Amino acid sequence: MRFAIISDLHANLEATEAVLADARERECTHYVCLGDIVGYNANPHECVEIIRGMDCPVVKGNHDEQAALDESSRGFNPLAEAAMSWTRDNLTSSDKEWLADLRLSRQIRDFTVVHATLDTPDQWGYVFNTLDATASFTYQHSAVCFFGHTHVAGAFVRDDGVKRLVVDQLTIDPAKKYFINVGSVGQPRDGDWRAAYCIYHVERNSVEQRRVKYDIDKAQKKILDAGLPPLLAERLELGR
Ligand code: ZN
């Protein structure tokens, strides 16, 4: 059994399709989506349609939450807000109802998934360092939990203390706890423009971090053609 765990697609259709093709090639048998399907890029409806059609476990991200509302209930920065009002105009009411109904966290077999944090999942805090991760670990009852939100791939491991690891391949020791950020499919911010996701090999007890090239020119052109802020196209190639 191999899970492809994807997060923060952010309406980037080219990146989403490239990641799903890579997962099929790597013989993934199951899929999980950690939210932020929409926001920032130019294909929110198409990305919702793909994930809905896969009928896999999905949790809600902060952009999914806001896209389902008539107007924003919490402060986004001006760039995210400009993209959000465009996103609302480009989703169907059925897309919005589906996004609104997503849960904040889920248990899948022996692991947990959440978009932002386990301690206060509806507050959308960011886990960037070991201190942030320590708070989340307190609420983690499974050995492995996958999350997203920061768009920065990397794993936090709790043993005697908590440390951060950035590796391509991680073997799960059931005596420890792992809070693993799968990175972002549609808008990576760790300096690498390629789409990020993880493969969880259940029988091998290992997690593989993947990076996948996609047609970034096409994704950027769509952002500009849609009249979205040009900075959203520029940042894609910087991985910021
Ligand atoms: Zn996001």
Side-chain angles (χ1 to χ4, degrees):
M1 186 175 261
R2 272 183 208 191
F3 283 89
I5 318 231
I6 62 176
S7 189
D8 296 273
L9 289 60
H10 283 297
N12 186 334
L13 181 61
E14 288 68 34
T16 299
E17 287 177 338
V19 158
L20 294 178
D22 187 73
R24 275 192 297 274
E25 223 168 87
R26 308 285 300 170
E27 297 176 340
C28 289
T29 52
H30 294 71
Y31 293 81
V32 180
C33 177
L34 309 186
D36 273 7
I37 298 163
V38 304
Y40 294 125
N41 298 304
N43 289 109
H45 168 70
E46 292 78 4
C47 288
V48 168
E49 224 171 28
I50 288 173
I51 300 302
R52 272 182 92 165
M54 288 167 57
D55 202 22
C56 62
V58 184
V59 289
K60 188 188 286 184
N62 52 321
H63 287 253
D64 306 321
E65 175 191 68
Q66 295 298 315
L69 302 173
D70 292 331
E71 54 185 71
S72 296
S73 67
R74 52 177 86 230
F76 268 146
N77 65 53
L79 196 61
E81 187 54 47
M84 186 46 69
S85 69
W86 183 92
T87 298
R88 286 191 192 104
D89 293 342
N90 286 275
L91 287 171
T92 66
S93 40
S94 162
D95 294 338
K96 291 179 191 176
E97 280 163 28
W98 182 78
L99 290 169
D101 284 344
L102 294 173
R103 282 185 263 163
L104 290 171
S105 68
R106 296 185 66 148
Q107 188 72 34
I108 302 155
R109 292 177 57 92
D110 60 347
F111 63 96
T112 313
V113 297
V114 70
H115 183 67
T117 73
L118 284 175
D119 47 330
T120 50
D122 60 339
Q123 298 301 306
W124 313 113
Y126 290 88
V127 176
F128 278 116
N129 56 44
T130 53
L131 189 66
D132 304 328
T134 300
S136 203
F137 273 125
T138 310
Y139 291 83
Q140 183 175 325
H141 305 296
S142 54
V144 178
C145 177
F146 294 97
F147 76 109
H149 195 42
T150 63
H151 301 204
V152 176
F156 294 91
V157 185
R158 192 177 82 174
D159 192 355
D160 296 334
V162 175
K163 58 177 185 286
R164 181 165 184 266
L165 291 177
V166 182
V167 289
D168 293 341
Q169 193 90 28
L170 189 68
T171 302
I172 303 298
D173 173 351
K176 300 178 184 175
K177 275 188 181 172
Y178 298 83
F179 193 50
I180 303 171
N181 196 309
V182 301
S184 169
V185 171
Q187 194 196 73
R189 296 180 193 157
D190 45 14
D192 183 342
W193 67 272
R194 297 172 302 164
Y197 80 105
C198 278
I199 298 177
Y200 180 26
H201 302 251
V202 176
E203 289 82 11
R204 271 196 244 158
N205 250 328
S206 74
V207 176
E208 182 186 352
Q209 174 70 60
R210 304 276 305 159
R211 299 304 287 233
V212 184
K213 290 182 180 171
Y214 69 94
D215 190 345
I216 189 170
D217 294 341
K218 192 170 173 186
Q220 288 176 311
K221 185 172 185 306
K222 282 186 188 172
I223 290 168
L224 301 175
D225 290 349
L228 282 158
L231 199 57
L232 292 173
E234 288 164 29
R235 70 187 298 177
L236 284 184
E237 69 193 58
L238 301 173
R240 290 287 168 212

